[in-house]
Amino acid sequence: MRTHGTLTKWNDDRGFGFVSPAAGGSDVFVHISAFPRDGERPHLNELISFETEAGPNGQPRAVRVMRAGQPAKAGRQQRASGRSTRRIGLVEACALAAIVAAGAYGYSRFTASHSTGDTMHAAVAAPAPAIQFHCDGRKHCSQMRSCAEATQYLQHCPGMEMDGDGDGVPCEQQWCY
């Protein structure tokens, strides 16, 4: 049950004091941890409302202190909003983890396809129909229109400058990934 009272004694150095209940009776111990964490220190003759619980020594002590003028539901709303903020943080963390996992999976598939003969690009790039060509003096990748064309020129025309690393795959940076 919520009780009203006045903070009649306060030791700011030690963080505790005593509340005189408005209905009368003996003073009730109150610790700094019972006050709201709003950045405002308790001060003498402050009007507060509080609930009482038995302390470690069996004596009543004030808990869940609220300052005068603060709505009764504000403490609960602050705690509830704190929980929802943590829940949103958990959802965001899970979403971020899923995005990172998907990115890692995609990257591993990408690097695997490039290191095993480019199976992804081979499926996408269908073989071009046979093109009749003749060695017309083109020697560089920038002069080619496709990987198939560069490959044909590399295989059939002398003096090509499209296979920098000598592995038989032309234009690796531009056409033949």
Side-chain angles (χ1 to χ4, degrees):
M1 183 169 115
R2 189 154 287 279
T3 307
H4 298 279
T6 304
L7 188 63
T8 54
K9 298 176 186 156
W10 183 253
N11 184 334
D12 201 44
D13 293 334
R14 297 186 66 194
F16 73 91
F18 291 91
V19 180
S20 296
S26 60
D27 288 352
V28 180
F29 174 83
V30 62
H31 190 264
I32 186 74
S33 63
F35 282 84
R37 293 188 176 109
D38 57 5
E40 185 179 335
R41 302 287 295 182
H43 53 85
L44 284 177
N45 299 320
E46 180 177 10
L47 297 174
I48 59 173
S49 68
F50 57 95
E51 295 176 21
T52 57
E53 288 181 357
N57 59 1
Q59 297 295 320
R61 69 180 194 173
V63 293
R64 293 180 283 285
V65 172
M66 294 175 59
R67 293 192 157 88
Q70 185 179 15
K73 294 183 181 179
R76 289 188 192 121
Q77 287 173 346
Q78 287 173 350
R79 284 191 298 266
S81 68
R83 280 193 298 269
S84 66
T85 301
R86 283 185 296 250
R87 190 175 309 130
I88 290 170
L90 179 61
V91 170
E92 290 171 348
C94 289
L96 180 61
I99 290 169
V100 168
Y105 176 76
Y107 180 75
S108 69
R109 296 284 301 183
F110 175 78
T111 57
S113 72
H114 281 74
S115 64
T116 60
D118 197 21
T119 56
M120 267 175 70
H121 286 86
V124 174
I131 300 173
Q132 291 194 359
F133 72 94
H134 60 285
C135 297
D136 57 6
R138 293 187 283 166
K139 295 181 178 185
H140 302 282
C141 293
S142 61
Q143 298 169 323
M144 301 295 144
R145 288 179 287 222
S146 69
C147 179
E149 185 178 45
T151 303
Q152 289 281 346
Y153 273 83
L154 182 63
Q155 291 173 353
H156 299 292
C157 299
M160 292 292 110
E161 298 177 13
M162 295 184 287
D163 187 12
D165 57 1
D167 65 351
V169 180
C171 305
E172 291 173 296
Q173 298 294 318
Q174 186 174 2
W175 293 110
C176 303
Y177 307 112

